[in-house]
C-alpha cells in the first residue's frame, strides 16, 4: 500500500522508515556510486530530509519499504535550485511546483511499485493543488518513466550516455493518471482511499518547513 508521511511522522513507523533509508543507501551509495552520506546505522540522509519533506512510500506486506519518493515545495530550499539551477534555466519558486527527489526502489521491487509511486505523485497533484513536479534524474530513469507512462518535459541536461543528468518537469492529466493506475494494477478508487487515510482533510503546507 501507499503511505504519505511527513518526516516528523516517520517516528511512528520506525521499521518502515529505517528500511527506506537503508534502501536509499543501497541504491544511491552502493549500486549507483553517488557521493552520498551513509550513517552508522546504514541510513542515507541529506540536508533536505531535515526540512520535513513529504514522503510517498510503498509499504510491503511485511511492513518494509518497497519504494519511495520525497517532495518539497519550491518556495523553500530544494536541490534543483541549490545545485542544478543552470539546467532548469534559473531558480524555480512557486507554491504550485514541488520538487520530487530520491526516487528509490527496493531490490525486489518491480515496475508495479515504480508505477504506484508515480500514481501517489498524481494524488498529491490532484488533492493538494500542485500543478507540476520538478526533479533531477539520470539516464537510467528515462526507461523507467517511459515504461510507466510518466515521462517529463526535459528542461536541460548535462553529460552524455549513462552519465547524463537532466532536470525534468512533470504534469499529470487524468488520462495519464488512469494509464499509470493500470500499470500499477491499482484502481483509482483504492489510490484515493490510501491518500484519504493519510490526510483526511489536508492542510499540507502547514507541516512543511518555511510555510
Amino acid at each position: 500500500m501507499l503511505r504519505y508521511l511527513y518526516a516528523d511522522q516517520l517516528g511512528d513507523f520506525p521499521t518502515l522508515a529505517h528500511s527506506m533509508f537503508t534502501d536509499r543507501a543501497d541504491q544511491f551509495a552502493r549500486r549507483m556510486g553517488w557521493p552520498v552520506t551513509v550513517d552508522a546505522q546504514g541510513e542515507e540522509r541529506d540536508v533536505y530530509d531535515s526540512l520535513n519533506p513529504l514522503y510517498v512510500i510503498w509499504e510491503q506486506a511485511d511492513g518494509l519499504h518497497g519504494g519511495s519518493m520525497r517532495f518539497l515545495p519550491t518556495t523553500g530550499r530544494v536541490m534543483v535550485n541549490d545545485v542544478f539551477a543552470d539546467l532548469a534555466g534559473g531558480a524555480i519558486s512557486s507554491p504550485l511546483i514541488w520538487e520530487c527527489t530520491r526516487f528509490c526502489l527496493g531490490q525486489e521491487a518491480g515496475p508495479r511499485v515504480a508505477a504506484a509511486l508515480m500514481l501517489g505523485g498524481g494524488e498529491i497533484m490532484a488533492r493538494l493543488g500542485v500543478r507540476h513536479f520538478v526533479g533531477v534524474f539520470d539516464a537510467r530513469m528515462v526507461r523507467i518513466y517511459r515504461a510507466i507512462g510518466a515521462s517529463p518535459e526535459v528542461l536541460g541536461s548535462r553529460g552524455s550516455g549513462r552519465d547524463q543528468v537532466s532536470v525534468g518537469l512533470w504534469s499529470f492529466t487524468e488520462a495519464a493518471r488512469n494509464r499509470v493506475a493500470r500499470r500499477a494494477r491499482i484502481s483509482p478508487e483504492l489510490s484515493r482511499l490510501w491518500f484519504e487515510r493519510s490526510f483526511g482533510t489536508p492542510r499540507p503546507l502547514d507541516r512543511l518547513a518555511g510555510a
Side-chain angles (χ1 to χ4, degrees):
M1 66 174 290
L2 284 173
R3 288 193 183 274
Y4 301 80
L5 299 171
Y6 288 92
D8 63 7
Q9 296 174 303
L10 292 178
D12 296 332
F13 302 87
T15 299
L16 180 63
H18 176 66
S19 59
M20 176 177 72
F21 290 119
T22 55
D23 276 352
R24 278 176 34 174
D26 178 68
Q27 176 172 314
F28 299 124
R30 187 182 69 81
R31 286 187 276 151
M32 299 179 65
W34 289 6
V36 296
T37 300
V38 178
D39 65 18
Q41 287 72 47
E43 298 184 352
E44 186 276 314
R45 298 175 186 258
D46 66 13
V47 64
Y48 305 99
D49 292 301
S50 69
L51 301 179
N52 203 31
L54 174 61
Y55 300 94
V56 176
I57 306 173
W58 179 261
E59 182 180 7
Q60 301 179 146
D62 58 6
L64 296 176
H65 169 266
S68 56
M69 299 189 295
R70 180 180 68 187
F71 296 89
L72 281 166
T74 58
T75 50
R77 186 177 177 187
V78 289
M79 185 184 299
V80 69
N81 290 338
D82 290 348
V83 184
F84 298 98
D86 60 316
L87 298 186
I92 295 172
S93 179
S94 169
L96 304 180
I97 303 175
W98 285 21
E99 181 184 66
C100 175
T101 53
R102 288 306 194 259
F103 187 103
C104 176
L105 295 175
Q107 288 199 53
E108 305 303 318
R112 184 193 178 203
V113 175
L117 293 175
M118 298 303 290
L119 183 61
E123 293 293 347
I124 291 175
M125 283 189 174
R127 300 306 189 89
L128 304 187
V130 179
R131 297 281 185 84
H132 298 282
F133 293 137
V134 65
V136 180
F137 61 96
D138 59 18
R140 73 184 180 91
M141 293 300 300
V142 173
R143 177 183 56 81
I144 294 173
Y145 294 145
R146 186 181 299 121
I148 61 180
S151 295
E153 173 190 352
V154 177
L155 301 182
S157 302
R158 72 164 66 115
S160 60
R162 296 180 62 182
D163 296 325
Q164 186 175 71
V165 175
S166 303
V167 170
L169 190 71
W170 283 261
S171 58
F172 211 58
T173 65
E174 189 64 22
R177 184 169 177 268
N178 291 334
R179 184 169 61 249
V180 172
R182 287 194 298 271
R183 284 175 167 79
R185 301 196 302 277
I186 297 169
S187 71
E189 293 77 17
L190 180 58
S191 179
R192 284 193 292 269
L193 176 63
W194 286 338
F195 185 92
E196 289 166 358
R197 283 180 175 175
S198 293
F199 282 109
T201 303
R203 295 182 61 194
L205 293 180
D206 291 349
R207 302 190 66 96
L208 288 159

